[in-house]
PDB file of all heavy atoms in Angstrom:
ATOM      1  N   ASP A 162       8.842  -0.852  -7.376  1.00 98.00           N
ATOM      2  CA  ASP A 162       8.796  -0.769  -8.874  1.00 98.00           C
ATOM      3  C   ASP A 162       7.401  -0.984  -9.273  1.00 98.00           C
ATOM      4  O   ASP A 162       6.682  -1.989  -8.939  1.00 98.00           O
ATOM      5  CB  ASP A 162       9.741  -2.009  -9.335  1.00 98.00           C
ATOM      6  CG  ASP A 162       9.930  -1.962 -10.942  1.00 98.00           C
ATOM      7  OD1 ASP A 162       9.742  -0.903 -11.504  1.00 98.00           O
ATOM      8  OD2 ASP A 162      10.340  -2.979 -11.397  1.00 98.00           O
ATOM      9  N   GLN A 163       6.869  -0.019 -10.067  1.00 98.00           N
ATOM     10  CA  GLN A 163       5.528  -0.133 -10.541  1.00 98.00           C
ATOM     11  C   GLN A 163       5.386  -0.615 -11.955  1.00 98.00           C
ATOM     12  O   GLN A 163       6.062  -0.013 -12.884  1.00 98.00           O
ATOM     13  CB  GLN A 163       4.890   1.240 -10.446  1.00 98.00           C
ATOM     14  CG  GLN A 163       3.378   1.175 -10.789  1.00 98.00           C
ATOM     15  CD  GLN A 163       2.639   2.533 -10.563  1.00 98.00           C
ATOM     16  OE1 GLN A 163       1.993   3.104 -11.480  1.00 98.00           O
ATOM     17  NE2 GLN A 163       2.820   3.148  -9.334  1.00 98.00           N
ATOM     18  N   VAL A 164       4.724  -1.726 -12.168  1.00 98.00           N
ATOM     19  CA  VAL A 164       4.691  -2.386 -13.500  1.00 98.00           C
ATOM     20  C   VAL A 164       3.255  -2.907 -13.797  1.00 98.00           C
ATOM     21  O   VAL A 164       2.363  -2.992 -12.871  1.00 98.00           O
ATOM     22  CB  VAL A 164       5.725  -3.517 -13.596  1.00 98.00           C
ATOM     23  CG1 VAL A 164       7.112  -2.973 -13.516  1.00 98.00           C
ATOM     24  CG2 VAL A 164       5.456  -4.536 -12.484  1.00 98.00           C
ATOM     25  N   LEU A 165       3.135  -3.229 -15.088  1.00 97.00           N
ATOM     26  CA  LEU A 165       1.787  -3.786 -15.542  1.00 97.00           C
ATOM     27  C   LEU A 165       1.776  -5.219 -15.004  1.00 97.00           C
ATOM     28  O   LEU A 165       2.682  -5.988 -15.097  1.00 97.00           O
ATOM     29  CB  LEU A 165       1.801  -3.789 -17.101  1.00 97.00           C
ATOM     30  CG  LEU A 165       0.530  -4.460 -17.695  1.00 97.00           C
ATOM     31  CD1 LEU A 165      -0.684  -3.672 -17.385  1.00 97.00           C
ATOM     32  CD2 LEU A 165       0.770  -4.657 -19.180  1.00 97.00           C
ATOM     33  N   TYR A 166       0.599  -5.512 -14.338  1.00 97.00           N
ATOM     34  CA  TYR A 166       0.484  -6.926 -13.800  1.00 97.00           C
ATOM     35  C   TYR A 166      -0.991  -7.250 -13.612  1.00 97.00           C
ATOM     36  O   TYR A 166      -1.746  -6.482 -12.973  1.00 97.00           O
ATOM     37  CB  TYR A 166       1.201  -7.057 -12.465  1.00 97.00           C
ATOM     38  CG  TYR A 166       1.190  -8.474 -11.825  1.00 97.00           C
ATOM     39  CD1 TYR A 166       1.422  -9.563 -12.542  1.00 97.00           C
ATOM     40  CD2 TYR A 166       0.912  -8.565 -10.436  1.00 97.00           C
ATOM     41  CE1 TYR A 166       1.462 -10.800 -11.975  1.00 97.00           C
ATOM     42  CE2 TYR A 166       0.944  -9.806  -9.843  1.00 97.00           C
ATOM     43  CZ  TYR A 166       1.206 -10.938 -10.609  1.00 97.00           C
ATOM     44  OH  TYR A 166       1.167 -12.203  -9.990  1.00 97.00           O
ATOM     45  N   ASN A 167      -1.480  -8.265 -14.229  1.00 97.00           N
ATOM     46  CA  ASN A 167      -2.835  -8.755 -14.059  1.00 97.00           C
ATOM     47  C   ASN A 167      -2.842 -10.207 -14.574  1.00 97.00           C
ATOM     48  O   ASN A 167      -1.861 -10.776 -14.931  1.00 97.00           O
ATOM     49  CB  ASN A 167      -3.834  -7.931 -14.784  1.00 97.00           C
ATOM     50  CG  ASN A 167      -3.548  -7.766 -16.301  1.00 97.00           C
ATOM     51  OD1 ASN A 167      -3.502  -8.772 -17.077  1.00 97.00           O
ATOM     52  ND2 ASN A 167      -3.256  -6.587 -16.770  1.00 97.00           N
ATOM     53  N   LEU A 168      -3.978 -10.859 -14.477  1.00 97.00           N
ATOM     54  CA  LEU A 168      -4.067 -12.291 -14.890  1.00 97.00           C
ATOM     55  C   LEU A 168      -3.705 -12.625 -16.262  1.00 97.00           C
ATOM     56  O   LEU A 168      -3.153 -13.741 -16.569  1.00 97.00           O
ATOM     57  CB  LEU A 168      -5.547 -12.805 -14.632  1.00 97.00           C
ATOM     58  CG  LEU A 168      -5.913 -13.066 -13.130  1.00 97.00           C
ATOM     59  CD1 LEU A 168      -7.342 -13.272 -13.031  1.00 97.00           C
ATOM     60  CD2 LEU A 168      -5.126 -14.233 -12.605  1.00 97.00           C
ATOM     61  N   ARG A 169      -3.876 -11.694 -17.245  1.00 95.00           N
ATOM     62  CA  ARG A 169      -3.407 -11.907 -18.595  1.00 95.00           C
ATOM     63  C   ARG A 169      -1.948 -11.509 -18.820  1.00 95.00           C
ATOM     64  O   ARG A 169      -1.324 -11.926 -19.796  1.00 95.00           O
ATOM     65  CB  ARG A 169      -4.343 -11.063 -19.496  1.00 95.00           C
ATOM     66  CG  ARG A 169      -5.644 -11.692 -19.787  1.00 95.00           C
ATOM     67  CD  ARG A 169      -5.698 -12.713 -20.879  1.00 95.00           C
ATOM     68  NE  ARG A 169      -6.927 -13.480 -21.035  1.00 95.00           N
ATOM     69  CZ  ARG A 169      -8.002 -13.031 -21.627  1.00 95.00           C
ATOM     70  NH1 ARG A 169      -7.965 -11.812 -22.109  1.00 95.00           N
ATOM     71  NH2 ARG A 169      -9.043 -13.774 -21.625  1.00 95.00           N
ATOM     72  N   ASP A 170      -1.384 -10.696 -17.870  1.00 96.00           N
ATOM     73  CA  ASP A 170       0.010 -10.259 -18.023  1.00 96.00           C
ATOM     74  C   ASP A 170       0.772 -10.704 -16.753  1.00 96.00           C
ATOM     75  O   ASP A 170       1.090  -9.842 -15.861  1.00 96.00           O
ATOM     76  CB  ASP A 170      -0.005  -8.772 -18.150  1.00 96.00           C
ATOM     77  CG  ASP A 170      -0.667  -8.272 -19.402  1.00 96.00           C
ATOM     78  OD1 ASP A 170      -0.113  -8.510 -20.502  1.00 96.00           O
ATOM     79  OD2 ASP A 170      -1.831  -7.646 -19.348  1.00 96.00           O
ATOM     80  N   ARG A 171       1.147 -11.923 -16.715  1.00 96.00           N
ATOM     81  CA  ARG A 171       1.867 -12.491 -15.587  1.00 96.00           C
ATOM     82  C   ARG A 171       3.293 -12.653 -15.806  1.00 96.00           C
ATOM     83  O   ARG A 171       3.985 -13.309 -14.961  1.00 96.00           O
ATOM     84  CB  ARG A 171       1.173 -13.892 -15.210  1.00 96.00           C
ATOM     85  CG  ARG A 171      -0.278 -13.802 -14.815  1.00 96.00           C
ATOM     86  CD  ARG A 171      -0.812 -15.211 -14.463  1.00 96.00           C
ATOM     87  NE  ARG A 171      -0.166 -15.837 -13.286  1.00 96.00           N
ATOM     88  CZ  ARG A 171      -0.591 -16.895 -12.656  1.00 96.00           C
ATOM     89  NH1 ARG A 171      -1.587 -17.522 -13.097  1.00 96.00           N
ATOM     90  NH2 ARG A 171       0.103 -17.352 -11.653  1.00 96.00           N
ATOM     91  N   GLY A 172       3.875 -12.118 -16.755  1.00 96.00           N
ATOM     92  CA  GLY A 172       5.263 -12.326 -17.123  1.00 96.00           C
ATOM     93  C   GLY A 172       6.246 -11.987 -15.992  1.00 96.00           C
ATOM     94  O   GLY A 172       7.265 -12.619 -15.807  1.00 96.00           O
ATOM     95  N   ILE A 173       5.837 -11.032 -15.178  1.00 97.00           N
ATOM     96  CA  ILE A 173       6.801 -10.615 -14.142  1.00 97.00           C
ATOM     97  C   ILE A 173       6.869 -11.610 -13.047  1.00 97.00           C
ATOM     98  O   ILE A 173       7.849 -11.597 -12.135  1.00 97.00           O
ATOM     99  CB  ILE A 173       6.364  -9.187 -13.477  1.00 97.00           C
ATOM    100  CG1 ILE A 173       5.013  -9.328 -12.792  1.00 97.00           C
ATOM    101  CG2 ILE A 173       6.415  -8.157 -14.572  1.00 97.00           C
ATOM    102  CD1 ILE A 173       4.708  -8.030 -11.957  1.00 97.00           C
ATOM    103  N   GLU A 174       6.028 -12.557 -12.997  1.00 97.00           N
ATOM    104  CA  GLU A 174       6.112 -13.675 -12.009  1.00 97.00           C
ATOM    105  C   GLU A 174       7.313 -14.519 -12.197  1.00 97.00           C
ATOM    106  O   GLU A 174       7.873 -15.200 -11.324  1.00 97.00           O
ATOM    107  CB  GLU A 174       4.905 -14.516 -11.912  1.00 97.00           C
ATOM    108  CG  GLU A 174       3.624 -13.775 -11.459  1.00 97.00           C
ATOM    109  CD  GLU A 174       2.455 -14.724 -11.500  1.00 97.00           C
ATOM    110  OE1 GLU A 174       2.577 -15.964 -11.539  1.00 97.00           O
ATOM    111  OE2 GLU A 174       1.328 -14.202 -11.508  1.00 97.00           O
ATOM    112  N   TYR A 175       7.864 -14.627 -13.484  1.00 97.00           N
ATOM    113  CA  TYR A 175       8.973 -15.431 -13.770  1.00 97.00           C
ATOM    114  C   TYR A 175      10.302 -15.030 -13.012  1.00 97.00           C
ATOM    115  O   TYR A 175      10.977 -15.897 -12.435  1.00 97.00           O
ATOM    116  CB  TYR A 175       9.223 -15.521 -15.243  1.00 97.00           C
ATOM    117  CG  TYR A 175      10.255 -16.504 -15.697  1.00 97.00           C
ATOM    118  CD1 TYR A 175      10.003 -17.835 -15.665  1.00 97.00           C
ATOM    119  CD2 TYR A 175      11.518 -16.150 -15.944  1.00 97.00           C
ATOM    120  CE1 TYR A 175      10.908 -18.804 -16.137  1.00 97.00           C
ATOM    121  CE2 TYR A 175      12.572 -17.049 -16.327  1.00 97.00           C
ATOM    122  CZ  TYR A 175      12.179 -18.344 -16.399  1.00 97.00           C
ATOM    123  OH  TYR A 175      13.186 -19.265 -16.721  1.00 97.00           O
ATOM    124  N   ASP A 176      10.567 -13.711 -13.052  1.00 97.00           N
ATOM    125  CA  ASP A 176      11.795 -13.287 -12.426  1.00 97.00           C
ATOM    126  C   ASP A 176      11.694 -11.999 -11.619  1.00 97.00           C
ATOM    127  O   ASP A 176      12.308 -11.851 -10.606  1.00 97.00           O
ATOM    128  CB  ASP A 176      12.964 -13.217 -13.398  1.00 97.00           C
ATOM    129  CG  ASP A 176      12.657 -12.301 -14.610  1.00 97.00           C
ATOM    130  OD1 ASP A 176      11.494 -11.855 -14.711  1.00 97.00           O
ATOM    131  OD2 ASP A 176      13.563 -12.121 -15.419  1.00 97.00           O
ATOM    132  N   LEU A 177      10.875 -11.061 -12.147  1.00 98.00           N
ATOM    133  CA  LEU A 177      10.912  -9.716 -11.484  1.00 98.00           C
ATOM    134  C   LEU A 177      10.268  -9.741 -10.013  1.00 98.00           C
ATOM    135  O   LEU A 177      10.846  -9.173  -9.074  1.00 98.00           O
ATOM    136  CB  LEU A 177      10.051  -8.771 -12.268  1.00 98.00           C
ATOM    137  CG  LEU A 177      10.060  -7.246 -11.724  1.00 98.00           C
ATOM    138  CD1 LEU A 177      11.419  -6.707 -11.506  1.00 98.00           C
ATOM    139  CD2 LEU A 177       9.235  -6.383 -12.680  1.00 98.00           C
ATOM    140  N   ILE A 178       9.118 -10.422  -9.889  1.00 97.00           N
ATOM    141  CA  ILE A 178       8.535 -10.537  -8.560  1.00 97.00           C
ATOM    142  C   ILE A 178       9.465 -11.224  -7.520  1.00 97.00           C
ATOM    143  O   ILE A 178       9.658 -10.776  -6.459  1.00 97.00           O
ATOM    144  CB  ILE A 178       7.089 -11.159  -8.568  1.00 97.00           C
ATOM    145  CG1 ILE A 178       6.077 -10.109  -9.165  1.00 97.00           C
ATOM    146  CG2 ILE A 178       6.646 -11.526  -7.173  1.00 97.00           C
ATOM    147  CD1 ILE A 178       4.688 -10.580  -9.274  1.00 97.00           C
ATOM    148  N   PRO A 179      10.016 -12.388  -7.955  1.00 97.00           N
ATOM    149  CA  PRO A 179      10.963 -13.075  -7.016  1.00 97.00           C
ATOM    150  C   PRO A 179      12.161 -12.174  -6.717  1.00 97.00           C
ATOM    151  O   PRO A 179      12.616 -12.116  -5.577  1.00 97.00           O
ATOM    152  CB  PRO A 179      11.344 -14.313  -7.816  1.00 97.00           C
ATOM    153  CG  PRO A 179      10.254 -14.616  -8.691  1.00 97.00           C
ATOM    154  CD  PRO A 179       9.727 -13.189  -9.103  1.00 97.00           C
ATOM    155  N   TRP A 180      12.705 -11.516  -7.745  1.00 98.00           N
ATOM    156  CA  TRP A 180      13.901 -10.585  -7.577  1.00 98.00           C
ATOM    157  C   TRP A 180      13.548  -9.458  -6.570  1.00 98.00           C
ATOM    158  O   TRP A 180      14.231  -9.257  -5.632  1.00 98.00           O
ATOM    159  CB  TRP A 180      14.329 -10.021  -8.834  1.00 98.00           C
ATOM    160  CG  TRP A 180      15.537  -9.249  -8.792  1.00 98.00           C
ATOM    161  CD1 TRP A 180      16.876  -9.671  -8.892  1.00 98.00           C
ATOM    162  CD2 TRP A 180      15.688  -7.824  -8.438  1.00 98.00           C
ATOM    163  NE1 TRP A 180      17.780  -8.607  -8.667  1.00 98.00           N
ATOM    164  CE2 TRP A 180      17.085  -7.488  -8.391  1.00 98.00           C
ATOM    165  CE3 TRP A 180      14.714  -6.843  -8.144  1.00 98.00           C
ATOM    166  CZ2 TRP A 180      17.489  -6.181  -8.113  1.00 98.00           C
ATOM    167  CZ3 TRP A 180      15.215  -5.554  -7.875  1.00 98.00           C
ATOM    168  CH2 TRP A 180      16.568  -5.199  -7.824  1.00 98.00           C
ATOM    169  N   CYS A 181      12.466  -8.869  -6.786  1.00 98.00           N
ATOM    170  CA  CYS A 181      11.904  -7.816  -5.810  1.00 98.00           C
ATOM    171  C   CYS A 181      11.749  -8.303  -4.448  1.00 98.00           C
ATOM    172  O   CYS A 181      12.060  -7.705  -3.492  1.00 98.00           O
ATOM    173  CB  CYS A 181      10.669  -7.115  -6.350  1.00 98.00           C
ATOM    174  SG  CYS A 181      10.932  -6.050  -7.808  1.00 98.00           S
ATOM    175  N   GLY A 182      11.161  -9.540  -4.266  1.00 96.00           N
ATOM    176  CA  GLY A 182      10.987 -10.068  -2.979  1.00 96.00           C
ATOM    177  C   GLY A 182      12.265 -10.325  -2.236  1.00 96.00           C
ATOM    178  O   GLY A 182      12.355 -10.009  -1.077  1.00 96.00           O
ATOM    179  N   ARG A 183      13.294 -10.809  -2.960  1.00 97.00           N
ATOM    180  CA  ARG A 183      14.675 -11.029  -2.383  1.00 97.00           C
ATOM    181  C   ARG A 183      15.270  -9.712  -1.881  1.00 97.00           C
ATOM    182  O   ARG A 183      16.026  -9.782  -1.005  1.00 97.00           O
ATOM    183  CB  ARG A 183      15.546 -11.697  -3.325  1.00 97.00           C
ATOM    184  CG  ARG A 183      15.151 -13.192  -3.571  1.00 97.00           C
ATOM    185  CD  ARG A 183      16.263 -13.945  -4.319  1.00 97.00           C
ATOM    186  NE  ARG A 183      16.612 -13.360  -5.575  1.00 97.00           N
ATOM    187  CZ  ARG A 183      16.063 -13.609  -6.747  1.00 97.00           C
ATOM    188  NH1 ARG A 183      15.039 -14.540  -6.771  1.00 97.00           N
ATOM    189  NH2 ARG A 183      16.437 -13.119  -7.913  1.00 97.00           N
ATOM    190  N   HIS A 184      14.899  -8.655  -2.513  1.00 97.00           N
ATOM    191  CA  HIS A 184      15.582  -7.382  -2.228  1.00 97.00           C
ATOM    192  C   HIS A 184      14.601  -6.422  -1.389  1.00 97.00           C
ATOM    193  O   HIS A 184      14.978  -5.225  -1.145  1.00 97.00           O
ATOM    194  CB  HIS A 184      16.003  -6.640  -3.484  1.00 97.00           C
ATOM    195  CG  HIS A 184      17.128  -7.313  -4.179  1.00 97.00           C
ATOM    196  ND1 HIS A 184      16.918  -8.320  -5.036  1.00 97.00           N
ATOM    197  CD2 HIS A 184      18.498  -7.095  -4.052  1.00 97.00           C
ATOM    198  CE1 HIS A 184      18.158  -8.755  -5.465  1.00 97.00           C
ATOM    199  NE2 HIS A 184      19.112  -7.974  -4.919  1.00 97.00           N
ATOM    200  N   GLY A 185      13.487  -6.998  -0.924  1.00 96.00           N
ATOM    201  CA  GLY A 185      12.569  -6.160  -0.189  1.00 96.00           C
ATOM    202  C   GLY A 185      12.020  -4.940  -0.812  1.00 96.00           C
ATOM    203  O   GLY A 185      11.736  -3.915  -0.126  1.00 96.00           O
ATOM    204  N   ILE A 186      11.685  -5.108  -2.064  1.00 98.00           N
ATOM    205  CA  ILE A 186      11.124  -4.085  -2.878  1.00 98.00           C
ATOM    206  C   ILE A 186       9.760  -4.517  -3.337  1.00 98.00           C
ATOM    207  O   ILE A 186       9.586  -5.404  -4.155  1.00 98.00           O
ATOM    208  CB  ILE A 186      12.054  -3.758  -4.137  1.00 98.00           C
ATOM    209  CG1 ILE A 186      13.424  -3.294  -3.684  1.00 98.00           C
ATOM    210  CG2 ILE A 186      11.332  -2.777  -5.001  1.00 98.00           C
ATOM    211  CD1 ILE A 186      14.387  -3.069  -4.813  1.00 98.00           C
ATOM    212  N   PRO A 187       8.722  -3.893  -2.856  1.00 98.00           N
ATOM    213  CA  PRO A 187       7.365  -4.190  -3.368  1.00 98.00           C
ATOM    214  C   PRO A 187       7.184  -3.845  -4.782  1.00 98.00           C
ATOM    215  O   PRO A 187       7.747  -2.877  -5.294  1.00 98.00           O
ATOM    216  CB  PRO A 187       6.528  -3.371  -2.402  1.00 98.00           C
ATOM    217  CG  PRO A 187       7.287  -2.987  -1.203  1.00 98.00           C
ATOM    218  CD  PRO A 187       8.675  -2.891  -1.748  1.00 98.00           C
ATOM    219  N   VAL A 188       6.287  -4.672  -5.398  1.00 98.00           N
ATOM    220  CA  VAL A 188       5.802  -4.406  -6.710  1.00 98.00           C
ATOM    221  C   VAL A 188       4.405  -3.768  -6.693  1.00 98.00           C
ATOM    222  O   VAL A 188       3.552  -4.146  -5.983  1.00 98.00           O
ATOM    223  CB  VAL A 188       5.680  -5.672  -7.540  1.00 98.00           C
ATOM    224  CG1 VAL A 188       4.981  -5.528  -8.880  1.00 98.00           C
ATOM    225  CG2 VAL A 188       7.061  -6.336  -7.777  1.00 98.00           C
ATOM    226  N   MET A 189       4.320  -2.603  -7.478  1.00 98.00           N
ATOM    227  CA  MET A 189       3.016  -1.962  -7.556  1.00 98.00           C
ATOM    228  C   MET A 189       2.380  -2.290  -8.870  1.00 98.00           C
ATOM    229  O   MET A 189       2.972  -2.050  -9.923  1.00 98.00           O
ATOM    230  CB  MET A 189       3.263  -0.434  -7.455  1.00 98.00           C
ATOM    231  CG  MET A 189       3.862   0.054  -6.116  1.00 98.00           C
ATOM    232  SD  MET A 189       4.220   1.839  -6.069  1.00 98.00           S
ATOM    233  CE  MET A 189       2.510   2.472  -6.011  1.00 98.00           C
ATOM    234  N   ALA A 190       1.216  -2.943  -8.862  1.00 98.00           N
ATOM    235  CA  ALA A 190       0.602  -3.375 -10.055  1.00 98.00           C
ATOM    236  C   ALA A 190      -0.336  -2.388 -10.618  1.00 98.00           C
ATOM    237  O   ALA A 190      -1.401  -2.097  -9.983  1.00 98.00           O
ATOM    238  CB  ALA A 190      -0.142  -4.746  -9.736  1.00 98.00           C
ATOM    239  N   TYR A 191      -0.073  -1.910 -11.759  1.00 97.00           N
ATOM    240  CA  TYR A 191      -1.012  -1.002 -12.507  1.00 97.00           C
ATOM    241  C   TYR A 191      -1.848  -1.851 -13.472  1.00 97.00           C
ATOM    242  O   TYR A 191      -1.376  -2.900 -13.887  1.00 97.00           O
ATOM    243  CB  TYR A 191      -0.430   0.221 -13.075  1.00 97.00           C
ATOM    244  CG  TYR A 191       0.515   0.011 -14.265  1.00 97.00           C
ATOM    245  CD1 TYR A 191       0.067  -0.159 -15.593  1.00 97.00           C
ATOM    246  CD2 TYR A 191       1.911   0.256 -14.149  1.00 97.00           C
ATOM    247  CE1 TYR A 191       0.869  -0.281 -16.661  1.00 97.00           C
ATOM    248  CE2 TYR A 191       2.764   0.195 -15.245  1.00 97.00           C
ATOM    249  CZ  TYR A 191       2.213  -0.040 -16.470  1.00 97.00           C
ATOM    250  OH  TYR A 191       3.045  -0.154 -17.630  1.00 97.00           O
ATOM    251  N   THR A 192      -2.974  -1.364 -13.804  1.00 95.00           N
ATOM    252  CA  THR A 192      -3.956  -2.143 -14.663  1.00 95.00           C
ATOM    253  C   THR A 192      -4.193  -3.516 -14.134  1.00 95.00           C
ATOM    254  O   THR A 192      -4.139  -4.494 -14.869  1.00 95.00           O
ATOM    255  CB  THR A 192      -3.531  -2.175 -16.118  1.00 95.00           C
ATOM    256  OG1 THR A 192      -2.928  -0.940 -16.573  1.00 95.00           O
ATOM    257  CG2 THR A 192      -4.700  -2.452 -17.035  1.00 95.00           C
ATOM    258  N   PRO A 193      -4.463  -3.663 -12.786  1.00 96.00           N
ATOM    259  CA  PRO A 193      -4.637  -5.032 -12.229  1.00 96.00           C
ATOM    260  C   PRO A 193      -5.780  -5.745 -12.648  1.00 96.00           C
ATOM    261  O   PRO A 193      -5.950  -6.946 -12.427  1.00 96.00           O
ATOM    262  CB  PRO A 193      -4.652  -4.694 -10.695  1.00 96.00           C
ATOM    263  CG  PRO A 193      -5.118  -3.275 -10.623  1.00 96.00           C
ATOM    264  CD  PRO A 193      -4.600  -2.567 -11.795  1.00 96.00           C
ATOM    265  N   LEU A 194      -6.763  -4.996 -13.254  1.00 96.00           N
ATOM    266  CA  LEU A 194      -8.079  -5.601 -13.667  1.00 96.00           C
ATOM    267  C   LEU A 194      -8.101  -5.852 -15.194  1.00 96.00           C
ATOM    268  O   LEU A 194      -9.056  -6.262 -15.765  1.00 96.00           O
ATOM    269  CB  LEU A 194      -9.276  -4.766 -13.290  1.00 96.00           C
ATOM    270  CG  LEU A 194      -9.390  -4.497 -11.774  1.00 96.00           C
ATOM    271  CD1 LEU A 194     -10.582  -3.564 -11.557  1.00 96.00           C
ATOM    272  CD2 LEU A 194      -9.546  -5.808 -11.007  1.00 96.00           C
TER     273      LEU A 194
END
């Protein structure tokens, strides 16, 4: 799943990153800088 993720946009840490981790699905971070 490719989503926006950087230090100012950390919202996916609340549930999407843990959910993807449990299902073995890597997160692709665009605009990481």
Side-chain angles (χ1 to χ4, degrees):
D162 188 18
Q163 185 175 128
V164 292
L165 177 71
Y166 182 45
N167 56 62
L168 282 169
R169 283 273 171 83
D170 297 287
R171 296 183 63 172
I173 65 170
E174 292 179 19
Y175 186 77
D176 56 354
L177 182 59
I178 286 182
W180 184 92
C181 286
R183 290 193 299 273
H184 290 85
I186 298 174
V188 170
M189 300 176 71
Y191 68 77
T192 319
L194 301 175

